Structure formats: C-alpha cells, structure tokens
Amino acid sequence: MTDNELPGPDDEARVPRRVIGTPAQGTAVLGTRPVETEVETPGVTLPDPADARKAERTVTLLFFVAFLAGIAFIASYVVFQVGSLDKTAVSNAALGGTLTVALLALASGVVVWVRRMMPKYNLVQERHEMRSDDDTRGYVDETFRAGAAESGFVKHKMMRRTLLLAAAPLGLAPLVLLKDLGPLPGTSLRHTVWKKGMKLVVEGTGQPILAADFDSPGGILSVVPEGYEHDLNALAKATLILIKFRPEDLKSGTIKNWTYDGIVAYSKICTHVGCPAALYEQTTHHILCPCHQSTFDATDGAKVIFGPAARPLPQLPIGVDGQGYLIAQADFDVPVGPSFWERGDAEADAREARGNQS
Ligand code: FES
C-alpha cells in the first residue's frame, strides 16, 4: 500500500483501526465497565489484566504525589519569602524541589499508564518502490532523445563546440574568486606573538610588571605583550589575565614550572567562542566568561567547571628577567580561543607534552 492509497479490504486484518470513543479490540462492555477478554488480534498485544490493575494503583499513587507536590509548590511560594541571599536560596530550593517532584510524578504516571495499561500495536507502513516503472522510464528516455534531436545539439557541430568553449572559462570563474579571499592562514592561527623574553605589560598603561610588586594573593591584571599594545590583530589572540596565588593554592592542573612565585598567566580569550573571559571571583578562584557563563578554575589550570567551553584557558609559561620584570618563556603550547582547536592534532600533542611537564 502506498502512502496515498486508502486501505483495501485485504488490509483490514493488518491495519488496526480504532475510533475514538470505542473500546479497544479485545474488550467487551458489560454495563458501563469494560472487561478484558482473551480475544487475540494479530498485531495487537493487550495488557495483562493483573498487571494492569497493579499499574492502575501505581499511576493513581503517582498522580496523587504530583497533586501534593503541586500544592507544596504553591505553599512554598507563599511561605518562603525572598529578601536576602540565604532566603532566596531556600525559596529556590523549595520551589525547584517541589516542582521537580510534581512534574516527575506526573510524567512517570503517564508513562506507566501508557506502557502497562494500554494495548500495544505493531504498525507497519509500507513504502513504494524507489525505482520508477518501465513505462515512466521509457517515456523520460524518449522525451530526452526527442528534445536532443530537436535542439540540433548533435547535428550542428560548430555551434556545439563554441557553446562548450564559452562555458569553459565560466567553469573556472570560482577559482578566480577564491583567490580574492586572501592568502591561506597556514599555521598562523595556531600561534600568538608571545615569544621567549617578551615583557608582560599592563593593558592600557603599557607598564612592565615587577613580580615583586604583584604580591597580594587574589590580585588580577589584564596583560598584553610589550610592543603590541595597539596592534588589535595581535591582541585578539595574545591578551592575558595574570593572577597571583599563594603557591599552596595551586592544584595539579596548573603547570607549576610555568608560574612565577604563585603568579599564573592564562589566555583571556574564552575557549568557547572567543569572548574576553575576564570576570574573576577572588573567593572561589573562578574565572567567568560573561558571554555564555563558562567558568574556569584558575587554581587548577583554568579547567572548565561550568558552561559550554570545552577546554581550559591555555596557560602561558612565564618567568622574570634579570631585573625582576615578568616575561614570557615561550608562546602558548596550544592554540588560543574557540574550541574548534580541540579537534586539531596540535592540541592532542600539546596535551601529551603538558602531561609530561606538570
Ligand atoms: S564565549 Fe565564553 S562562554 Fe561563550
């Protein structure tokens, strides 16, 4: 049977037919109460009556729980007033908890109802053959040949050749347009301008940073490479956040050799889609990206603890020069920015190398 055909008389036995408001096949009606019988219909599995009675009790109980939780939700709204952080937390927990229980119980009741109390139908939808029938194929072939003969494409050789000649440059036109997209990026997207010995300077003022002056744990600075303070292309990838920790606060995710006296430098470019991740919670040591709330643990290699970002903010190896100013020890070992790079081989290689260093 195709999608558009109505079921014929032969389909009756195969296609279960139900009319809303009538009892399912396999039930008989005595008075007002349907009673299951042992009549079997091909393709239809009736629920086991004993199991259905048990399920009915379960469903009733679940719906009653949903009712109580719904009442508790409304009561929570009235009873738990907000006004302070603690009160709001209690109110949220009560509202969220009661609503969760209500919805869960309601949904579970419906699922048990459908799965254990209703008949199951095996439905088969047959599809028509994909191949057209021979008549249709013959017709298309004939029409195509007639059109080709009428156009004179085969007969007028010169015209045919000049047509192909005219089409050739147009076929190559996209290649010319591709050239307009500019030079290929090569490996430039995998690197930033940071290199060994380059000074870290404060974003905005351009001041180099004496490690001894950056000495209060919890302090944070936005930092750029010296010489590139106004190069927006370079800064789009090279901007850092510099955070000072007590050395004992740093966890295993942070590469200790790349820190200096508890000072750690992370890329400021969020690994989700590249917003500047520069909000810092001093008490929890969390770096937050304001765009989609990705949260990174600054004490633990800036690994992701919440949100859509898929990988940590890359850490820059830093140290000091002869005068005690903070400098880079090298470029980042992984590409900075969006997690597209997660798929690159460079990321996997670097992660392996990091494992050996931390
Ligand atoms: S860009 Fe940072 S979370 Fe989306």
Side-chain angles (χ1 to χ4, degrees):
M1 184 177 71
T2 66
D3 292 348
N4 297 327
E5 285 171 352
L6 292 170
D10 293 346
D11 297 316
E12 283 290 319
R14 189 165 43 75
V15 183
R17 306 185 66 191
R18 294 285 309 277
V19 177
I20 292 172
T22 63
Q25 293 179 47
T27 63
V29 177
L30 282 182
T32 57
R33 184 187 168 94
V35 177
E36 281 89 1
T37 67
E38 296 303 318
V39 178
E40 284 191 12
T41 308
V44 182
T45 311
L46 294 174
D48 173 54
D51 186 52
R53 274 193 292 278
K54 261 195 246 163
E56 186 179 357
R57 284 196 290 276
T58 309
V59 172
T60 309
L61 180 68
L62 285 168
F63 285 170
F64 191 64
V65 170
F67 166 73
L68 291 180
I71 297 288
F73 174 78
I74 295 169
S76 304
Y77 184 79
V78 177
V79 173
F80 299 109
Q81 294 297 317
V82 295
S84 70
L85 218 52
D86 285 347
K87 283 182 175 175
T88 306
V90 171
S91 169
N92 282 350
L95 290 172
T98 50
L99 191 61
T100 302
V101 172
L103 294 178
L104 210 59
L106 201 58
S108 306
V110 171
V111 169
V112 174
W113 186 349
V114 171
R115 293 189 63 86
R116 290 176 52 194
M117 298 178 64
M118 293 176 68
K120 294 181 179 55
Y121 292 84
N122 291 331
L123 298 179
V124 179
Q125 182 186 27
E126 291 178 8
R127 311 229 165 174
H128 60 78
E129 246 194 291
M130 296 297 288
R131 183 184 185 281
S132 303
D133 59 52
D134 288 344
D135 284 352
T136 309
R137 290 164 68 89
Y139 176 73
V140 171
D141 185 46
E142 207 177 285
T143 310
F144 178 78
R145 285 174 196 283
E150 280 168 16
S151 71
F153 187 78
V154 177
K155 191 167 137 201
H156 305 296
K157 274 190 195 154
M158 186 56 77
M159 209 169 71
R160 185 174 75 235
R161 285 174 187 161
T162 49
L163 172 64
L164 294 176
L165 194 69
L170 293 178
L172 296 175
L175 293 180
V176 180
L177 296 180
L178 274 181
K179 196 160 169 4
D180 259 7
L181 294 177
L184 289 172
T187 59
S188 65
L189 295 176
R190 294 179 178 271
H191 304 289
T192 70
V193 294
W194 287 109
K195 59 179 187 224
K196 190 173 172 61
M198 186 176 272
K199 274 202 182 103
L200 280 64
V201 299
V202 179
E203 187 179 23
T205 65
Q207 286 296 311
I209 304 157
L210 262 179
D213 288 349
F214 190 50
D215 59 354
S216 57
I220 179 168
L221 277 178
S222 199
V223 166
V224 295
E226 186 177 44
Y228 290 90
E229 294 88 340
H230 305 292
D231 182 339
L232 295 183
N233 280 333
L235 296 183
K237 291 190 296 169
T239 310
L240 304 176
I241 43 176
L242 201 65
I243 307 176
K244 167 80 178 178
F245 295 101
R246 280 185 293 269
E248 64 272 20
D249 285 339
L250 293 175
K251 298 182 192 151
S252 60
T254 308
I255 301 172
K256 309 262 173 43
N257 294 343
W258 291 4
T259 67
Y260 181 80
D261 193 24
I263 302 173
V264 190
Y266 292 118
S267 165
K268 191 174 172 179
I269 314 304
C270 180
T271 50
H272 178 218
V273 288
C275 286
L279 302 176
Y280 182 59
E281 265 182 356
Q282 209 178 47
T283 46
T284 56
H285 303 135
H286 290 169
I287 302 166
L288 271 104
C289 176
C291 287
H292 314 98
Q293 285 74 53
S294 283
T295 308
F296 306 87
D297 184 349
T299 57
D300 200 9
K303 77 174 183 200
V304 183
I305 52 174
F306 179 77
R311 64 187 186 114
L313 298 173
Q315 184 184 347
L316 186 79
I318 56 168
V320 288
D321 64 9
Q323 293 145 347
Y325 286 105
L326 288 171
I327 55 168
Q329 297 287 14
D331 192 5
F332 291 99
D333 69 331
V334 292
V336 300
S339 294
F340 160 79
W341 297 110
E342 182 71 9
R343 298 173 199 147
D345 294 341
E347 175 76 23
D349 295 348
R351 222 183 291 127
E352 197 178 318
R354 275 171 169 227
N356 298 334
Q357 289 187 53
S358 54

